[in-house]
Amino acid sequence: MDKDIKNKPPVVVVLGHVDHGKSSLLEAVKDLKITEKESGGITQHIGSYFIEHQGKGITFIDTPGHEAFSAMRSRGAKVADIGVLVVAADEGVKEQTKEAIEHLLKAEMPFIIAINKMDKKDADANKAKQALSMENVFVESFGGSIPSVEISAKTGEGVEGLLEMILLVAEMEDLVCDPKISATGVIIETQLDNRRGVSVNVIIKNGTLKKGDIISSNSAFGRIKTIHNCTGEEIEEAGPSYPVSINGVKGSPQVGDSFVVCKSIDEARKSVNFEQLLENIYETGNQNEFPIIIKADTNGSLEAIKNKINSLSRDSITVKIISSGVGEVNENDVCLARTANAGIFIFRVKVSNLAKSIALRDEVDIKNFDIIYELFDSVKEEGSKRIKPEKIKTEIGKFKIMAVFRTKGNRQILGGKIIKGEATKGCIVEIYKGEEKMGEGKIINIKKGEKDIEKAPIKEEVGLLFEGSGRAEEGDHLLISKEEEITGSL
Ligand code: GDP
């Protein structure tokens, strides 16, 4: 073995049927190995935890269940090295046991059977093993090669034996790592913490992650400000298989995404997909686009919504779908919406808790619908709000200046006569000397004798308080206009 290559602590995922004791096993290992002294009585939840047994490390992914496992695998990241399949000795193989076996075989992951609840009166390990052999899982005592350990997560009986077996399997698998290289890892969870902002829980796959490192994944990037371990301690660096919670990452970290360490922030930023997506938006887009994100329950409804929305367009604004997909709204969608100032429209899907918190914090509006045409109407309504009102100027009168009474700053009191149309307070005016425009501004006030009036009709002789640019002189004209804003709609 090269001097820098070392044995890697195994990363373990616990699978099995509901209520067969996955969480209890994870708790039992924690109770056994993470002493109160270490954690100050509090174990931080960072999605996984690290223990030592006989001087060797093991990392347990702390989110039992197949969904987490599938989410990680769906992104192509192989986080776990070894699986522990929990089978209750009283119930044996159930539906999700079969599902878990399928997952493990597909992932080609070595696994150990933990026959749990051995303390129960009706526990029958042999029956459970027999049932497993019906699923082509042959444990050692049944002529196969899959190791099995009998345990009780409740009493802690056999748990040490399971840990030993995990280490043995790890040794046989020859899991190696190089702590000298810069880190690669996998995001296993994100948490929104009011104090620390978004914390990203990761497991280091290889190398060593250090404070100050710049990391990037498809969904997030940034310079690491702090690293905490599972006992809540702030640490400077973390080696292979070690689970840590990091801060300083921008973007929308996705569970299962792999990350690498980069040389510079620029390099890191480039690898984030949504940043690229945004660049595209800004390249092709202009102020007259209404960017939207759509999430729907099925591909069918998503296509129907997209087709309808693509037909929506006016010269003044275009609705642009910058992202769409099937499934719940996640933090990625919200961050994208925030950065692109987009609207999120969803059809019969939920919003993840983290996405909800970020949306609340960043005031990102998520509009939820059960009926497609209502969603469509809402897109129209919101899009219309973004259409800049058009200003239309209409000439309403003409004023001949007969005297300039006073000039102060950008204001002038002009005496004269309405020779066409009328003048109203607040109207806009342009000063003309013959054909030449000399300035423009507004009518702030109109006086008839000593009295303030709102409007002066044709032939009326009045004093106008003008404010604006340019100087009016005796003999000039004011062209009086009113401006109206016309709001458009999609
Ligand atoms: P999970 O759904 O697989 O995570 O199962 P849990 O760990 O939540 O356990 C389900 C139930 O089984 C709980 O009431 C546990 O207290 C109980 N349980 C778990 N392990 C054991 C065990 O070894 N012995 C006994 N008697 N009960 C157990």
Side-chain angles (χ1 to χ4, degrees):
M1 208 184 263
D2 192 295
K3 70 176 178 5
D4 291 338
I5 304 292
K6 299 217 158 43
N7 284 323
K8 175 182 171 306
V11 177
V12 175
V13 63
V14 178
L15 300 172
H17 192 69
V18 64
D19 278 347
H20 278 200
K22 298 178 293 292
S23 310
S24 305
L25 172 61
L26 286 162
E27 280 306 311
V29 174
K30 239 185 272 181
D31 287 349
L32 189 70
K33 292 293 177 181
I34 303 180
T35 62
E36 292 222 344
K37 186 174 120 295
E38 265 178 309
S39 62
I42 312 156
T43 315
Q44 304 291 312
H45 176 80
I46 62 163
S48 48
Y49 61 84
F50 182 84
I51 58 138
E52 274 190 20
H53 184 66
Q54 297 170 344
K56 290 179 182 156
I58 306 174
T59 293
F60 280 89
I61 296 177
D62 205 3
T63 34
H66 306 168
E67 252 171 62
F69 186 74
S70 302
M72 285 176 212
R73 275 197 42 79
S74 71
R75 303 193 148 244
K78 185 175 169 288
V79 195
D81 303 301
I82 297 172
V84 169
L85 177 60
V86 177
V87 184
D90 55 343
E91 285 196 346
V93 172
K94 303 290 272 188
E95 209 41 54
Q96 286 164 306
T97 320
K98 293 181 192 170
E99 212 177 282
I101 293 169
E102 208 176 295
H103 280 309
L104 289 162
L105 295 177
K106 220 188 259 173
E108 293 177 10
M109 189 183 291
F111 62 99
I112 299 164
I113 307 290
I115 311 244
N116 189 32
K117 305 199 185 183
M118 286 306 292
D119 61 291
K120 284 185 101 167
K121 268 202 219 86
D122 51 351
D124 188 342
N126 271 339
K127 213 169 125 197
K129 288 177 189 173
Q130 181 117 42
L132 282 164
S133 63
M134 301 298 287
E135 301 302 317
N136 289 325
V137 173
F138 299 101
V139 299
E140 278 161 349
S141 52
F142 270 67
S145 60
I146 296 174
S148 71
V149 182
E150 290 168 21
I151 63 164
S152 165
K154 191 178 174 187
T155 65
E157 190 81 33
V159 174
E160 295 234 12
L162 176 64
L163 299 179
E164 260 157 57
M165 187 57 83
I166 290 170
L167 290 173
L168 199 68
V169 171
E171 211 168 285
M172 287 188 314
E173 288 296 312
D174 201 19
L175 305 170
V176 290
C177 62
D178 184 353
K180 291 268 170 65
I181 60 175
S182 55
T184 54
V186 178
I187 296 167
I188 59 157
E189 219 178 63
T190 49
Q191 281 174 311
L192 190 67
D193 181 314
N194 284 341
R195 215 160 24 92
R196 284 198 250 148
V198 175
S199 296
V200 183
N201 301 334
V202 304
I203 291 180
I204 317 291
K205 291 280 299 171
N206 201 1
T208 295
L209 187 69
K210 301 188 175 93
K211 206 160 124 173
D213 275 352
I214 296 162
I215 64 162
S216 87
S217 77
N218 275 336
S219 53
F221 72 96
R223 188 187 296 276
I224 296 174
K225 282 197 206 131
T226 57
I227 307 179
H228 286 84
N229 67 12
C230 63
T231 54
E233 205 185 331
E234 185 167 347
I235 54 176
E236 293 297 310
E237 56 178 48
S241 294
Y242 208 69
V244 286
S245 179
I246 56 177
N247 286 93
V249 176
K250 295 190 202 96
S252 45
Q254 296 278 295
V255 172
D257 253 9
S258 301
F259 68 81
V260 294
V261 169
C262 292
K263 287 198 190 75
S264 68
I265 281 282
D266 274 351
E267 191 188 314
R269 188 183 284 120
K270 279 192 194 120
S271 73
V272 177
N273 272 349
F274 90 80
E275 285 281 316
Q276 263 167 22
L277 177 59
L278 282 179
E279 269 170 29
N280 294 344
I281 296 165
Y282 292 133
E283 254 171 40
T284 57
N286 52 49
Q287 294 297 311
N288 297 331
E289 273 177 353
F290 175 38
I292 63 168
I293 295 170
I294 303 169
K295 295 301 277 277
D297 58 342
T298 64
N299 266 319
S301 41
L302 184 64
E303 283 313 307
I305 294 166
K306 277 163 72 175
N307 282 341
K308 224 164 153 36
I309 284 174
N310 283 333
S311 67
L312 252 186
S313 197
R314 255 180 57 124
D315 291 348
S316 46
I317 199 153
T318 311
V319 178
K320 184 167 183 171
I321 303 170
I322 57 167
S323 169
S324 64
V326 170
E328 70 171 14
V329 178
N330 59 37
E331 55 278 17
N332 194 16
D333 301 317
V334 178
C335 291
L336 180 61
R338 179 191 56 201
T339 324
N341 192 21
I344 301 182
F345 296 86
I346 65 177
F347 182 71
R348 293 189 183 156
V349 289
K350 287 196 190 132
V351 182
S352 81
N353 283 338
L354 182 60
K356 263 187 214 155
S357 324
I358 299 177
L360 201 67
R361 185 192 67 186
D362 296 346
E363 293 175 358
V364 172
D365 198 17
I366 301 175
K367 295 201 179 296
N368 197 345
F369 300 91
D370 269 337
I371 299 168
I372 290 185
Y373 76 77
E374 283 182 5
L375 185 152
F376 181 67
D377 283 348
S378 174
V379 170
K380 271 179 28 181
E381 195 184 321
E382 292 303 310
S384 300
K385 283 186 198 160
R386 301 237 186 156
I387 297 177
K388 282 214 187 86
E390 264 180 88
K391 282 189 177 161
I392 295 187
K393 204 162 93 178
T394 330
E395 200 183 301
I396 58 162
K398 202 170 174 182
F399 180 78
K400 185 173 166 54
I401 300 167
M402 300 191 309
V404 177
F405 295 123
R406 227 178 137 202
T407 298
K408 195 176 180 201
N410 61 349
R411 288 186 167 196
Q412 287 187 300
I413 297 174
L414 310 170
K417 188 174 181 181
I418 311 286
I419 53 169
K420 196 174 152 194
E422 59 179 26
T424 51
K425 216 162 114 176
C427 273
I428 54 167
V429 292
E430 290 156 291
I431 308 166
Y432 277 91
K433 191 179 286 299
E435 296 292 305
E436 199 184 345
K437 187 173 163 181
M438 307 301 289
E440 61 190 350
K442 245 173 150 179
I443 297 174
I444 303 290
N445 198 15
I446 307 176
K447 261 189 177 358
K448 172 82 189 151
E450 288 301 304
K451 227 170 106 196
D452 290 338
I453 54 170
E454 292 294 314
K455 192 191 250 184
I458 189 156
K459 291 189 184 153
E460 193 88 271
E461 286 193 13
V462 288
L464 299 182
L465 174 58
F466 163 86
E467 183 185 275
S469 66
R471 286 272 173 272
E473 289 175 349
E474 197 185 316
D476 294 349
H477 287 98
L478 293 183
L479 219 54
I480 308 164
S481 312
K482 71 172 182 221
E483 214 169 40
E484 274 176 321
E485 285 199 341
I486 312 254
T487 43
S489 68
L490 266 169

